[in-house]
């Protein structure tokens, strides 16, 4: 039996940091049950070593292989991994997470309502692992759709992993802000890329504005066609099918409006309940998922009980997942927000 200790990354958000160890344990359980690991971690628990919290676990005597380590390096709270030697010693184990670009692609943007970056990665991880794309987590190709993308935190995380991203956002100011940031960032990094802003029309009617960027981390990769594409559509998410073809996404990952500082836009105006938005939007999103695709949703349980959110997904023909880890992601964001996660798969 080999014993490991995972040192958790510090979080700038103190409240999230208080829940990080518990969330990491649940995320590890999803990795363990996904089938992508050859050696499955067991006995995960939060352990204090030298006054510092670690997520500790064990494996069979063979220990974690190279590909197992490549997967677990992407745990959202992973900072450093050690093999435990005896009672007192920790032997470093190198981790090489997916990081196709510099981390400031995600960390530079600062704005009100931005989803915690660690949590964004957690939500993307567990959704990909639940989908038919799980075996391609390290190598791609994977297409990630965020139908409520705001200023693009999920899209940028998808780019970091080497995936393609599609975003839908109703607020034109957010779309313009994302396009301006990405253009500036790509120029500053001197990365080979192209960007374009166009209109999307159907039957001569404007249905969306589209921003698109094609990029690669090196000129050689760009020349070889090893590029990534990120597309952001300025339209209402309930009208996504007017601008996107069906079955275009491997996974859908989104953080629903919390109904506190920000409401949900529906045909009737601004609503404080995300359930109204989800009821209208999830059947549309379902059409955009490929067979075996997964939808990962986070939302505020204070304004939408879990059972009601599950019913919305089930009514759209999605199968909500249970099992180890999937029911253990609820955590406090602030006094008015208790965030939870649902993952559901398409047949």
């Amino acid at each position: 039996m080999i014993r490991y200790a995972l040192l958790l990354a510090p979080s700038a958000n103190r409240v999230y940091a208080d829940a990080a160890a518990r969330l990491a344990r649940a995320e590890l359980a999803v990795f363990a049950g996904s089938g992508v690991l050859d050696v499955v971690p067991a006995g995960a628990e939060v352990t204090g070593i030298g006054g510092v919290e670690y997520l500790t676990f064990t494996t069979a005597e063979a220990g974690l292989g190279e590909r197992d380590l490549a997967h677990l390096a992407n745990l959202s709270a992973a900072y450093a991994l050690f093999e435990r030697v005896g009672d007192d010693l920790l032997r470093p184990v190198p981790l090489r997470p997916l990081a196709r670009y510099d981390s400031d692609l995600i960390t530079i943007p600062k704005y009100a309502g931005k989803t915690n970056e660690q949590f964004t990665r957690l939500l993307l991880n567990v959704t990909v692992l639940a989908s038919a794309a799980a075996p391609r987590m390290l190598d791609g190709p994977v297409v990630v759709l965020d139908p409520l993308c705001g200023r693009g935190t999920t899209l940028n995380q998808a780019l970091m992993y080497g995936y393609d991203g599609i975003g839908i956002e109703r607020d034109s100011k957010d779309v313009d802000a994302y396009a301006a940031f990405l253009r500036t960032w790509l120029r500053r990094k001197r990365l080979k890329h192209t960007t374009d802003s166009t209109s999307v029309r159907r039957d001569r009617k404007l249905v969306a504005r589209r921003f698109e960027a094609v990029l690669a981390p090196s000129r050689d990769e760009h020349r070889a066609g090893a590029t990534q594409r990120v597309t952001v559509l300025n339209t209402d998410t309930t009208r996504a099918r007017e601008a996107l073809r069906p079955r275009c996404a491997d996974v859908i990952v989104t953080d629903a409006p919390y109904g506190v500082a920000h409401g949900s836009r529906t045909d009737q105006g601004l609503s404080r309940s995300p359930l109204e938005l989800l009821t209208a939007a999830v059947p549309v999103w379902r059409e955009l998922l490929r067979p075996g695709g997964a939808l990962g949703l986070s939302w505020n349980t204070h304004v939408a009980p879990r059972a009601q959110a599950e019913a919305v997904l089930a009514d759209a023909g999605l199968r909500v997942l249970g099992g180890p880890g999937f029911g253990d992601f609820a955590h406090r964001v602030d006094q008015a927000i208790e965030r939870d996660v649902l993952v559901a798969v398409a047949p």
Side-chain angles (χ1 to χ4, degrees), residues 267-321:
D267 290 339
Q268 288 71 45
L270 185 68
S271 167
R272 289 300 175 189
S273 171
L275 276 176
E276 295 179 22
L277 173 65
L278 294 176
T279 300
V282 170
V284 179
W285 301 347
R286 168 69 181 84
E287 294 183 40
L288 302 175
L289 268 181
R290 291 171 181 160
L295 186 156
L297 169 71
S298 60
W299 83 105
N300 180 12
T301 59
H302 286 327
V303 296
R306 183 181 179 95
Q308 293 181 14
E310 288 181 347
V312 170
L313 301 186
D315 288 346
L318 300 169
R319 177 172 60 87
V320 178
L321 297 183

Side-chain angles (χ1 to χ4, degrees), residues 54-121:
Y54 291 78
L55 181 66
T56 59
F57 57 90
T58 62
T59 69
E61 285 188 18
L64 297 170
E66 183 176 342
R67 195 160 178 86
D68 293 336
L69 289 170
H71 277 100
L72 295 181
N74 299 297
L75 280 161
S76 62
Y79 190 64
L81 181 66
F82 302 90
E83 181 183 337
R84 301 183 70 182
V85 181
D87 294 329
D88 302 319
L89 299 180
L90 299 175
R91 178 184 295 130
V93 178
L95 291 179
R96 296 179 180 85
L98 292 170
R100 196 166 170 84
Y101 303 96
D102 293 341
S103 62
D104 59 2
L105 174 61
I106 296 176
T107 58
I108 284 179
K110 304 291 183 185
Y111 52 89
K114 181 181 180 181
T115 304
N116 178 285
E117 295 143 11
Q118 284 187 22
F119 179 75
T120 296
R121 184 154 54 147

Side-chain angles (χ1 to χ4, degrees), residues 100 162 164 192 214-229:
R100 196 166 170 84
D164 289 345
K192 184 70 174 177
V214 178
L215 61 150
S218 72
R219 289 184 177 272
D220 288 343
E221 288 175 280
H222 195 279
R223 191 178 302 114
T227 58
Q228 295 168 255
R229 186 182 303 271

Side-chain angles (χ1 to χ4, degrees), residues 197-208:
S197 295
T198 57
S199 298
V200 180
R201 296 182 182 275
R202 294 289 182 268
D203 300 324
R204 299 184 179 181
K205 295 181 179 179
L206 179 68
V207 297

